[in-house]
Every structure is written in structure tokens, then in C-alpha cells.
Amino acid sequence: MTKLILGRLAEALAALLLMSLVIFILSRVTGDPVALLLGDGATAEDRDQLIAQLQLDRPLWRQYLSFLGNAVSGDFGQSVAAGRRDALELVLDRLPASLSLAGVALGFTLVLGIVMGVLAAITRGGAVDVILRMVALLGQSVPAFWLGIVLIYVVSVNWGLLPTSGYGTAAHYVLPALTLGIFTLAAVLRLVRASMLDALASEYVKLARIKGLPEATVILKHALSNSLIPVVTFMGAFFATMITGAVVVETVFAWPGIGRLAYESIVSRDFPVIQTVVLVITACFILANFCVDMLYLAIDPRMRDRG
């Protein structure tokens, strides 16, 4: 068990290191930040000063090693576009808003997705199954930005039921969480339906029915408990979908999270903040997958034996 945990930790650190290199290189080849940050009236001295400030006059490999060494100590640099504010502090201030939105979206998608998946499986071929499969298809086809705009126009502007943007109350979570979670809801629905159909056709479910157990007990205790293992396996991916999808959703709803911060930093080519946002998102994704791996090892003894 200890060997497995250490192996997962080593994989997580390697992935984080690789992502830091990728985002560092990509952020440097997308354009000249000096030309963007300095106005037309800037002098050559101003340009040289900003280049020295951003350490852009050093070779790329030295810039990366310097960035990596500082990052290990918690120093991700200072934001150029936010008045020299510490980049990590800026990201951490926005992180709770993103995590709370992702948590709400993931919570309701898991609950609804599991319930709808079970209903689709036990009514296979019926009207309910067809309707729920259509819902899943639409959920995985509709672009998040379009859905968000439509919800704002219909629910907020026309009906006046919910706020169009902002953060702070339960009402502010409804539209962003629905927009963010619709894709994952469809994925959970289809995954649970497929797993339930396999479970309902298995021998242990047939045996439970032969024993005369109530149908509710057969479905909930025997079939559903085994059908949730694939859902647990993909929970890390679902969480990552919430975090990465937040860039679009937070921009549409003016949500003060790291997704919107990432968009603002990309527009202003604020390299320190861009790197910090992506690394924090990557760390959240890796941590979520690590926790899922540990949970999977705990609930499925066969995985411990396989390593």
C-alpha cells in the first residue's frame, strides 16, 4: 500500500513539473509582453527597464530554472497588470470562489446524474429512458458559453428570477453552476446507465431476485453500489472539467474566480499570473485524481492486489 501511494505521489510531481515547463514555454511564445504593456510614448529606457524587471533578457532555460526555484519557495513573481501584487496571493484570493462554484456544480450533477442514470436503466427502452438519453445528448452537445448567455437572457433578463452576475448569495450560484455542470451531468447519467445495465444483467443480481428480495433493495443495494465504482473512478476528471470549464463560465457570469482571472491575465499577457493560475489549476487536478486513486484503492481491494 505504501509503495502504491509513493508511486502515485511521484507521478503527480512529475506531471506538475512537466506542466510547469509547458506553460512557461507557451506563455513566452505567444507574443511580446513588453510591446503590449508599454504605451506608444514609452522610451527605450522604459523598455529596457521592463525587460530587466521581467527577466526577459536572460536565456529561456535560466528564466525557467529561476521561475521553478522561486515557485518551490512560494514566490511566483508579481503581477504586472495588477500593480505589482504578488501573483500567488492574487490567485489564492480568487480560488475559494472557483472551488465553491465547482463544488456546487459537481454536487448537483452527481446527485441528479446518478438518479437519472438509475431511472434510465430500470426503464430501458421506455419513454423515460429515451427522454433522459436525449437530455444527456443535448448536455454534451451544447456549448457552455451559449447556454450561459441563453440562461441569462431568459431567466434573468426576461423573467427576472435570478441575478445575471456577481457572487455572494445562493441565488448567484444557480445559473453558473447549472451552466458549468450540464456537461458533467450528461456524462454521469450515461456512465451510471451503462453500469446499471451491466449490473442488472449480472448473476449476483439475478440471485438476489431469486431469493425474493424487494426490487428496491436489489436495485439500490446490489446493483447501484457496484455501478458507482466507475463514477468514483472518473470523479477526478469530472472535477477537472469543472475547473477548466470555469474559464468560460466565470467570464460569462462575471464570477470572481481564477477562471476569469486567467482570461484577464491572458488578455494583458501578465506572465506571472498566467503561470500561477495554470499551475494552481494543475495542482488541483492532480490532487483530485490522487484522492480518487486513494479512494478507489480503499473501496476496491482488487486494485490493491494489482498495484
Side-chain angles (χ1 to χ4, degrees), residues 159-238:
W159 297 346
L161 298 178
L162 296 169
T164 60
S165 60
Y167 166 71
T169 66
H172 288 102
Y173 281 86
V174 178
L175 295 184
L178 179 61
T179 304
L180 187 60
I182 192 67
F183 180 86
T184 304
L185 172 63
V188 173
L189 191 162
R190 298 182 67 175
L191 187 61
V192 172
R193 179 184 181 276
S195 299
M196 280 290 296
L197 289 177
D198 289 340
L200 291 174
S202 63
E203 296 299 326
Y204 62 85
V205 169
K206 294 178 181 178
L207 179 61
R209 283 172 171 163
I210 292 174
K211 290 180 177 179
L213 295 178
E215 187 65 14
T217 302
V218 173
I219 292 174
L220 297 178
K221 183 177 179 180
H222 295 278
L224 180 59
S225 60
N226 289 279
S227 300
L228 291 181
I229 293 179
V231 177
V232 173
T233 305
F234 285 99
M235 277 182 61
F238 294 153

Side-chain angles (χ1 to χ4, degrees), residues 14-32:
L16 190 60
L17 181 63
L18 180 60
M19 180 53 69
S20 70
L21 177 60
V22 170
I23 188 56
F24 177 84
I25 294 175
L26 290 179
S27 64
R28 292 303 193 272
V29 300
T30 53
D32 182 11

Side-chain angles (χ1 to χ4, degrees), residues 83-227:
R84 305 286 297 169
R85 188 177 175 187
D86 183 77
L88 182 59
E89 178 185 346
L90 189 63
V91 173
L92 292 180
D93 284 347
R94 300 282 195 101
L95 185 59
S98 291
L99 292 180
S100 62
L101 177 61
V104 171
L106 184 61
F108 97 82
T109 55
L110 286 177
V111 173
L112 287 182
I114 292 171
V115 172
M116 294 167 70
V118 172
L119 287 177
I122 62 178
T123 59
R124 181 181 183 181
V128 175
D129 183 29
V130 173
I131 293 173
L132 291 178
R133 280 189 291 160
M134 290 180 61
V135 170
L137 180 62
L138 289 174
Q140 292 186 308
S141 304
V142 175
F145 74 90
W146 181 85
L147 179 61
I149 293 172
V150 170
L151 288 176
I152 290 174
Y153 180 75
V154 175
V155 179
S156 300
V157 177
N158 286 351
W159 297 346
L161 298 178
L162 296 169
T164 60
S165 60
Y167 166 71
T169 66
H172 288 102
Y173 281 86
V174 178
L175 295 184
L178 179 61
T179 304
L180 187 60
I182 192 67
F183 180 86
T184 304
L185 172 63
V188 173
L189 191 162
R190 298 182 67 175
L191 187 61
V192 172
R193 179 184 181 276
S195 299
M196 280 290 296
L197 289 177
D198 289 340
L200 291 174
S202 63
E203 296 299 326
Y204 62 85
V205 169
K206 294 178 181 178
L207 179 61
R209 283 172 171 163
I210 292 174
K211 290 180 177 179
L213 295 178
E215 187 65 14
T217 302
V218 173
I219 292 174
L220 297 178
K221 183 177 179 180
H222 295 278
L224 180 59
S225 60
N226 289 279
S227 300

